[in-house]
Amino acid sequence: MSDLIAEQVSRVKARIRRLRPEGGVKIMAVTKNRSYEESLAAIRAGVDLVGENRVQEARDKWREKPPVPLHLIGHLQTNKVKYATELFDGIDSVDSERVAEALNARLEAPRPVMLQLNGGREASKTGVHPDLAIRFLAEASRWPHLVFNGIMAVLPLAVDSSAAEEKRIRQFMQEIGEVWRMCREEQFPWAPLAELSMGMSGDYEWAVEAGSTMVRLGTVLFGSRSGI
Ligand SMILES: *Cc1c(COP(=O)(O)O)cnc(C)c1O
């Protein structure tokens, strides 16, 4: 099992290197629904960080902190904020003012977070509308404990492997890339926006081509999810 995971990590790294020879793309292993052993195998194989979707699952799995940064990438319920701030090095899923407010109130010192954008404006997903990203960040100085170090894009999954679908998804990625660059140009001291977290197993190569600096990979590293 760990050999397979190591092989997949190497394969993904090679593909990313081909697309971005100068480097600068981090690999996050998304370890939701994966065992502790599988998760550790990915870390040993050289991923840069680990992402979890649910606070409770992450608490159960990571009683001992992993040797790479641990980030939250799923929606944060406000009753879990205390545990989240104790456990995670970064919270990439700040998807609303409500979440920002709750995190800021609980934290005592600045913590890196990311603004989550709903790149496809899907009703089923949380996240700030891309058109409102600049305004959201401009007003973020009122949360002095949040340092917005990136944008995390959630995007529609391609429904099939047609060229039209590829074009549709790539357009969303292009748009998010532009929003990220525009927001960076504002140079808000509280929003350095070093990272653009974009791209999952099915579309990470397109995301790297669109400027992503962090891809979030589950299936392509670990295989299809069993059970759920
Ligand atoms: C599950 C998940 C991923 C990884 O999805 P795969 O398609 O398995 O690579 C990435 N980002 C978020 C927010 C997720 O929930």
Side-chain angles (χ1 to χ4, degrees), residues 33-182:
N33 304 322
R34 306 295 175 179
S35 69
Y36 181 67
E37 289 71 25
E38 286 173 295
S39 307
L40 270 191
I43 292 170
R44 290 205 191 96
V47 301
D48 298 286
L49 65 171
V50 167
E52 288 278 354
N53 278 63
R54 285 191 296 271
V55 176
Q56 191 54 52
E57 181 184 343
R59 288 185 81 210
D60 292 341
K61 195 181 301 172
W62 301 108
R63 290 167 194 281
E64 208 175 304
K65 281 222 171 194
V68 295
L70 176 62
H71 283 212
L72 179 67
I73 58 168
H75 175 68
L76 178 58
Q77 292 165 292
T78 45
N79 62 348
K80 299 271 168 61
V81 164
K82 175 175 174 287
Y83 294 136
T85 55
E86 286 165 3
L87 184 63
F88 294 101
D89 302 297
I91 295 178
D92 300 354
S93 47
V94 174
D95 57 9
S96 61
E97 294 189 8
R98 198 173 127 86
V99 166
E101 200 76 56
L103 274 172
N104 182 66
R106 170 65 64 173
L107 288 166
E108 283 161 7
R111 180 79 56 98
V113 299
M114 294 198 200
L115 171 60
Q116 179 181 327
L117 296 182
N118 183 352
R121 298 151 171 93
E122 296 167 281
S124 60
K125 296 202 170 97
T126 65
V128 169
H129 192 295
D131 297 341
L132 301 177
I134 282 201
R135 193 194 300 170
F136 188 99
L137 290 170
E139 294 172 1
S141 60
R142 66 186 145 136
W143 304 307
H145 297 147
L146 305 187
V147 178
F148 285 85
N149 195 41
I151 279 178
M152 176 171 95
V154 295
L155 291 166
L157 297 175
V159 296
D160 58 41
S161 55
S162 67
E165 250 323 80
E166 175 174 341
K167 186 166 174 228
R168 184 174 80 98
I169 305 299
R170 280 185 186 267
Q171 272 171 357
F172 285 131
M173 290 177 164
Q174 218 59 51
E175 184 191 6
I176 292 291
E178 277 158 31
V179 168
W180 176 56
R181 283 183 287 275
M182 269 171 43

